[in-house]
Amino acid sequence: MNLILLGAPGAGKGTQSEKISERYGIPAIATGDILRKAIQEGTEMGKAAKSYMDAGRLVPDEVVIGIIRDYLASDACRNGFILDGFPRSIPQAEALDAMGIRIDVVLSLEVPDEKIVERMSGRRVCSCGASYHVTYKPPKTEGVCDKCGAALYIRDDDAEETVRRRLATFHAQTEPLKEYYSSRGLLLTVQGQEEVADTTALVLGALRRFEA
C-alpha cells in the first residue's frame, strides 16, 4: 500500500502513521526525518539540502522532492510506504505524479482547529524531558514538574499564536490537496477522536478495503 497521510499540524498524523506502519509492515516516511538522514549520509541531495540550511534558507522543493524520490526507490519502500508531511502543496503533488509514483490512497485526518489549538497550546514541558498537558495530563502542582520539581514551560512551537499561524499556512497551502486527490477518487477522511485508540480503529477500518 502506497499511502499519503494528510492533516493539520497537531492532528495526530505521526501517531497514526506509526499505527499504520505496525499494521502493514511498511515504513512511515516523515519528510524531516529523511531530510536529516540524507544530510547525515552525505548523499548528493543531502549535501544540497545542507547548503541551504547552513545558509539559513528554506530547502527548495526540487531538493526535497529529490530526497523523497531517492528514498521511495530504495528497498525499504519495496512493499509500500506512508508519506507523512509530503506533499504539502499542489506543486509538490504534481512533482510526485511526475515521478510516476503510484498512490493507492490519501487519508485525511480531520480535527477542528480549536481542538488542535487546545491540544497544542496546553502542552507543558520540562528540561528533564517530562511532558504534561494542562487538561489531559496536568502535573500535581501547577507549573511544576512531578519528576524533578523544575518549572514547566511552553515550547515556542506550542504557543497559541504560533499554532494558529501554522494552521493558517496549512489551510492555504496543504488543504487544497484534498480536492486534488478527491478528484482522482483517492481521498478518504477520518474524524480524529478524543482517544487515540478510537482514531486508530477508524483509520485501520477505513484502510481495510485496500488490503490485498
Side-chain angles (χ1 to χ4, degrees):
M1 182 187 299
N2 295 344
L3 182 146
I4 291 171
L5 194 57
L6 296 178
K13 296 191 304 300
T15 299
Q16 296 308 319
S17 183
E18 289 176 6
K19 300 296 184 183
I20 298 168
S21 177
E22 290 170 6
R23 171 66 180 83
Y24 292 100
I26 55 177
I29 305 168
T31 309
D33 290 344
I34 67 165
L35 189 62
R36 286 186 287 273
K37 187 171 185 286
I39 291 169
Q40 289 170 359
E41 293 177 351
T43 67
E44 182 180 346
M45 286 295 176
K47 290 176 182 175
K50 187 174 186 300
S51 68
Y52 284 97
M53 293 168 71
D54 286 349
R57 298 161 60 194
L58 288 175
V59 180
D61 273 4
E62 58 264 28
V63 175
V64 175
I65 289 163
I67 289 172
I68 296 283
R69 182 187 61 236
D70 291 347
Y71 194 84
L72 294 184
S74 70
D75 286 344
C77 298
R78 186 173 52 220
N79 295 320
F81 55 79
I82 306 156
L83 281 175
D84 172 8
F86 183 91
R88 290 180 184 270
S89 63
I90 297 293
Q92 287 186 352
E94 291 171 341
L96 193 63
D97 290 342
M99 290 182 213
I101 303 295
R102 187 192 83 252
I103 299 299
D104 297 309
V105 59
V106 178
L107 192 146
S108 179
L109 192 57
E110 305 284 331
V111 179
D113 281 6
E114 290 308 313
K115 178 59 67 175
I116 288 174
V117 171
E118 179 189 354
R119 282 182 185 176
M120 297 181 73
S121 64
R123 292 195 292 213
R124 301 292 185 269
V125 295
C126 179
S127 55
C128 76
S131 61
Y132 303 88
H133 192 281
V134 296
T135 302
Y136 305 114
K137 188 187 175 184
K140 293 174 183 176
T141 302
E142 185 177 349
V144 178
C145 179
D146 293 348
K147 295 183 177 179
C148 71
L152 302 178
Y153 63 93
I154 303 174
R155 297 187 313 171
D156 290 344
D157 280 355
D158 291 338
E160 182 174 342
E161 62 185 49
T162 303
V163 174
R164 291 192 183 279
R165 189 162 58 245
R166 292 174 66 197
L167 286 170
T169 299
F170 168 80
H171 291 307
Q173 295 182 0
T174 306
E175 200 160 41
L177 288 170
K178 291 197 292 186
E179 178 57 33
Y180 182 87
Y181 287 115
S182 177
S183 67
R184 291 162 169 73
L186 297 176
L187 186 72
L188 287 178
T189 59
V190 169
Q191 300 297 322
Q193 305 297 303
E194 284 290 335
E195 297 295 330
V196 170
D198 293 338
T199 302
T200 301
L202 291 175
V203 166
L204 297 182
L207 294 176
R208 198 161 289 131
R209 74 184 78 168
F210 297 92
E211 293 180 3

